[in-house]
Amino acid sequence: MTSSYLPPTELLTDERNLEATHQQLTLFIEEYVERSGTNGVVVGMSGGVDSTLAAALAVDALGPDRVFGLLLPCNKTAEVGSHDALTVAEALGIDYEEVHLQPLIRCFERLLVGDEGRDERIRALGNTTARLRMACLYYAANTQSKLVLGTGNRSERLLGYFTKYGDGGCDLIPLANLYKTEVRALARHMGLPCRIVEKPSTAGLWAEQTDEGELGATYDCIDAVLHYVVDRRYRAETVAEELDIPIETVWEVLNKHLETHHKRRLPATPGRESVE
């Protein structure tokens, strides 16, 4: 999809703002880990820009000896990402381990055969894989007295583009307030490898899977729509006119945000009167 619009000027682009954000996020990680009394953080590294940036920020905040990288490929596509993640881990000087999840996933496929169609089965296995990764991250964190560092960004969270108790399961999320376009801008500012900053984002859950392919629009478009609708409270029709994109695209993004509200809340509990 093409469009003539420019990204909102409120999104991070200025070098001074990027440097201030860099300092703010490293301080956030440092202070949170110090208050927790733990030894550092464990970060799941996929070779993508989000996990690479999160790991780099953690190293700046804590030093490489307090950051542990866990590489968790589940198929050939993810193995390519793991090669990039390994290169990044070595460049950052952190300890790391690679654990291939394919044997565990095959166990699920053999034991839990249902009547669902192919698309539903792929989605279910994708969610299962994300939760297996979370379990591995917490096992490593528990055994090393560390915290699990989340790698999700604001775009993913507002769209519900994550798995409950999977990649959504972590102890702190330094990138939670940065849209994907801002993540890339900060990564460039910090001098992270162009190959990683620019390559298409993917969760690596199945062959040829990409974020933008699933979401149906580019992150430039998605972030602009979310910023105007969620942050600035513009009407959908106004956003479509301002950005010069079809109103249908605006509603597709907005509906994803509305339909995944439950993912951004704590589990529902029955109400009761206060006893205080």
Side-chain angles (χ1 to χ4, degrees):
M1 188 187 80
T2 60
S3 173
S4 60
Y5 74 88
L6 295 174
T9 56
E10 294 87 347
L11 298 185
L12 279 178
T13 53
D14 182 81
E15 287 296 314
R16 287 174 299 178
N17 290 339
L18 289 167
E19 182 54 31
T21 300
H22 178 196
Q23 294 177 13
Q24 178 188 31
L25 296 182
T26 53
L27 183 62
F28 162 74
I29 295 170
E30 180 184 10
E31 290 184 342
Y32 193 91
V33 172
E34 291 304 318
R35 287 199 307 270
S36 74
T38 57
N39 295 332
V41 297
V42 174
V43 55
M45 300 185 66
S46 66
V49 65
D50 298 305
S51 64
T52 299
L53 178 59
L57 289 168
V59 168
D60 286 351
L62 307 170
D65 57 319
R66 301 180 68 190
V67 180
F68 181 75
L70 200 54
L71 288 59
L72 300 166
C74 61
N75 54 38
K76 293 292 184 183
T77 301
E79 286 173 5
V80 175
S82 281
H83 177 75
D84 288 337
L86 186 151
T87 301
V88 168
E90 291 182 343
L92 293 174
I94 65 175
D95 289 336
Y96 63 90
E97 192 73 44
E98 182 174 23
V99 178
H100 209 300
L101 297 181
Q102 192 59 42
L104 289 173
I105 295 168
R106 285 175 180 158
C107 288
F108 275 86
E109 289 183 292
R110 286 197 302 268
L111 295 174
L112 303 177
V113 178
D115 297 328
E116 70 280 355
R118 179 178 181 276
D119 290 346
E120 289 78 9
R121 187 173 182 79
I122 289 174
R123 188 176 300 110
L125 284 172
N127 285 330
T128 297
T129 301
R131 291 176 179 128
L132 287 173
R133 287 174 175 168
M134 181 274 294
C136 291
L137 289 166
Y138 268 99
Y139 182 81
N142 292 163
T143 57
Q144 298 179 33
S145 187
K146 288 182 168 67
L147 300 176
V148 173
L149 186 75
T151 64
N153 59 62
R154 181 167 174 79
S155 306
E156 293 168 343
R157 294 183 67 76
L158 288 180
L159 293 175
Y161 192 62
F162 60 91
T163 298
K164 266 187 175 181
Y165 313 115
D167 46 332
C170 55
D171 296 308
L172 65 162
I173 318 175
L175 308 182
N177 292 328
L178 298 184
Y179 286 105
K180 186 73 171 193
T181 47
E182 296 178 310
V183 167
R184 294 194 192 281
L186 183 57
R188 291 188 198 98
H189 171 77
M190 290 176 58
L192 299 184
C194 290
R195 165 180 165 79
I196 289 175
V197 174
E198 303 297 339
K199 73 178 181 178
S201 294
T202 174
L205 298 175
W206 58 82
E208 308 302 325
Q209 183 265 338
T210 65
D211 293 3
E212 292 181 342
E214 278 197 279
L215 294 171
T218 66
Y219 272 117
D220 284 345
C221 174
I222 289 168
D223 291 354
V225 171
L226 289 172
H227 173 69
Y228 279 120
V229 173
V230 178
D231 299 336
R232 301 183 65 181
R233 304 294 181 181
Y234 280 29
R235 296 175 66 249
E237 292 77 11
T238 304
V239 174
E241 183 176 346
E242 287 279 337
L243 300 181
D244 190 24
I245 59 177
I247 185 64
E248 293 81 9
T249 300
V250 176
W251 277 113
E252 285 175 10
V253 173
L254 182 55
N255 285 336
K256 285 185 175 69
H257 171 64
L258 296 173
E259 291 166 359
T260 57
H261 178 65
H262 66 99
K263 288 190 172 186
R264 295 179 291 275
R265 294 179 61 88
L266 292 172
T269 58
R272 73 175 189 179
E273 296 180 358
S274 172
V275 295
E276 296 179 0

